[in-house]
Amino acid sequence: MNPLTFAFSRSVLLAIVLSVSLGGPKGRAADIRYEHLADCITRALELQKGERVLLRYDSDYFAELRGPLESRIRRAGAVVLGPLEYQAKGVPPLGFGEVIEDADVYLWLPLRPDLHEVSPQEREALQRWLEKGGARREIHFHWQEGSVLSDGLPGPHSPALDQIYQAALDIDYSALSAAQDRAIALLRSGTIHVTTPAGTDLRFRVGSRPFNKQDGDASPARARAARVRVDREIELPAGVLRVAPLEETVNGTLVIPSARFGSAVARRLRFSIRNGVITSIQADQNLDAARAALAAGGEAALHFREFGLGFNPKLQAPPESPSLAYYGYGAGVVRLSLGDNQELGGNVRGGFTRWFFFPDGTVEVGGRILVRGGRLSSAGTP
């Protein structure tokens, strides 16, 4: 994703990035229930009377969502500000940093893929806004952008994934949250051991590091309890559990079967990691491309970033799909990544991030299995 989805407000934050497959004129997607999506957004937010909602939208893409959302915002007693239209890639509206200061909620509506780029100025303004703390909430609907290959870069999206993403909005959120809590207790209890059939063999501990629970709760109370910035960024569909391990405890080998770096594809890429830092890089093919990409990422690119684990039982891609469903938020999918982990409460800085996904991993803690071969055990099942 390299998800920039930072937005902030004085008391509430909402940012929505919803991209779906193009199915008709003006970016209309087929078989998308816009009224239902609007219900999911506003239900997660628990809008308060008088809150000011700033809409950021693309008039040529997914326009059917805007009307139902505005209706529900007003029905909740909140006020619709703006809206601000996206008109050019990477170009913020004039005075954007000042405009959002008048909002309590920032609503980032879907964009055409060719517009989905945020300028550095907008990125910085939104990040500063979010980091001020308080009851600021952000909801992400990345949708098509979440359809990625195991190397973390975009993959093909399909109408079948549209339907899976919609279905994944209708789950038992209480059961999801409880399953994540059980997993957190287990993951804190000792050394975490992650293995994969391709050869990944990593061990690390999380200590008292904060866990980010993506359980669909975007309420003001949830935002006020946030320990790190990403706690105010709420994903729908929900499901992932994220943590930055204690960097000095990360040791072992990270093996990526296939990863794209520009026009080259590195095969069986292998990182040796000691005390959280990559000490050697090997590959069966296109090693130079991988090394060049990491070198361009600076010092952060050589540091282990994050452990993530999916829990949503409905986010399972069809067997014929080369793409994973929504950033690997499906039950049992492991995420291991490199780079800056400040948003998660880690110590690595530098801006670079690269995610890798493992749908066939095994996660064990002190002899107890949390995931075996990509399937959650009873300890992690919602």
Side-chain angles (χ1 to χ4, degrees):
M1 145 165 77
N2 204 2
L4 162 86
T5 33
F6 300 130
F8 145 96
S9 74
R10 291 176 181 168
S11 63
V12 179
L13 169 84
L14 169 66
I16 292 182
V17 185
L18 171 56
S19 307
V20 298
S21 56
L22 302 182
K26 284 191 173 290
R28 182 175 297 116
D31 301 321
I32 299 298
R33 296 177 291 154
Y34 298 100
E35 299 278 345
H36 183 57
L37 292 181
D39 285 336
C40 291
I41 293 165
T42 51
R43 183 169 58 245
L45 270 176
E46 297 184 11
L47 286 167
Q48 307 296 305
K49 186 175 181 180
E51 288 182 329
R52 296 161 296 181
V53 182
L54 178 61
L55 291 154
R56 191 89 156 90
Y57 76 104
D58 177 358
S59 62
D60 284 332
Y61 190 60
F62 227 64
E64 296 90 340
L65 179 60
R66 182 179 160 193
L69 270 172
E70 289 187 348
S71 174
R72 284 156 178 78
I73 290 166
R74 293 190 176 102
R75 192 185 306 163
V79 178
V80 178
L81 298 179
L84 295 176
E85 182 178 358
Y86 273 94
Q87 295 180 329
K89 183 176 181 179
V91 178
L94 185 64
F96 177 78
E98 291 75 26
V99 172
I100 62 171
E101 289 290 343
D102 290 330
D104 299 304
V105 174
Y106 180 66
L107 182 57
W108 189 350
L109 295 181
L111 304 176
R112 286 166 285 165
D114 62 330
L115 280 185
H116 197 276
E117 181 177 305
V118 179
S119 68
Q121 297 90 340
E122 188 170 350
R123 181 188 299 264
E124 291 169 7
L126 294 176
Q127 184 171 334
R128 286 195 305 269
W129 196 18
L130 183 58
E131 287 179 339
K132 288 184 179 179
R136 301 175 181 87
R137 291 161 290 169
E138 176 176 355
I139 292 183
H140 303 183
F141 268 145
H142 294 281
W143 219 260
Q144 178 182 358
E145 191 188 357
S147 301
V148 296
L149 299 188
S150 294
D151 68 357
L153 299 184
H157 187 75
S158 66
L161 286 170
D162 281 339
Q163 300 311 309
I164 287 169
Y165 292 2
Q166 288 194 112
L169 295 171
D170 298 316
I171 60 172
D172 185 334
Y173 287 93
S174 295
L176 172 67
S177 181
Q180 291 174 324
D181 286 340
R182 291 194 299 271
I184 289 171
L186 176 56
L187 291 166
R188 285 205 190 282
S189 68
T191 298
I192 300 163
H193 187 197
V194 180
T195 57
T196 68
T200 290
D201 191 335
L202 280 177
R203 286 179 167 84
F204 50 83
R205 299 193 308 276
V206 297
S208 60
R209 284 279 173 85
F211 276 85
N212 171 242
K213 283 176 58 179
Q214 291 296 337
D215 58 2
D217 181 1
S219 66
R222 160 67 179 269
R224 283 191 292 270
R227 295 183 59 189
V228 291
R229 185 176 70 220
V230 74
D231 286 343
R232 299 184 183 92
E233 302 174 29
I234 308 303
E235 294 272 2
L236 293 176
V240 76
L241 188 67
R242 303 173 61 189
V243 66
L246 298 168
E247 289 83 8
E248 68 277 8
T249 70
V250 184
N251 291 284
T253 305
L254 175 60
V255 181
I256 319 298
S258 175
R260 292 165 288 173
F261 296 94
S263 60
V265 179
R267 305 291 182 185
R268 199 164 181 269
L269 181 62
R270 303 180 295 283
F271 299 115
S272 296
I273 300 175
R274 184 173 178 81
N275 299 330
V277 180
I278 294 174
T279 57
S280 71
I281 307 172
Q282 297 176 301
D284 289 355
Q285 185 177 343
N286 288 319
L287 174 60
D288 288 345
R291 283 179 168 166
L294 293 180
E299 184 68 22
L302 297 178
H303 287 257
F304 190 83
R305 165 184 163 86
E306 171 189 9
F307 167 77
L309 181 61
F311 285 81
N312 193 312
K314 293 187 178 182
L315 279 175
Q316 302 297 327
E320 69 276 7
S321 174
S323 297
L324 298 173
Y326 203 77
Y327 296 116
Y329 285 16
V333 179
V334 171
R335 177 199 302 177
L336 302 171
S337 59
L338 305 175
D340 188 315
N341 58 12
Q342 181 178 10
E343 68 175 3
L344 291 159
N347 293 327
V348 182
R349 303 291 183 270
F352 175 92
T353 60
R354 180 68 187 260
W355 296 353
F356 302 102
F357 299 91
F358 304 86
D360 56 0
T362 294
V363 180
E364 173 264 334
V365 187
R368 296 181 62 189
I369 299 295
L370 178 58
V371 182
R372 187 188 297 277
R375 293 183 176 275
L376 285 173
S377 71
S378 58
T381 304

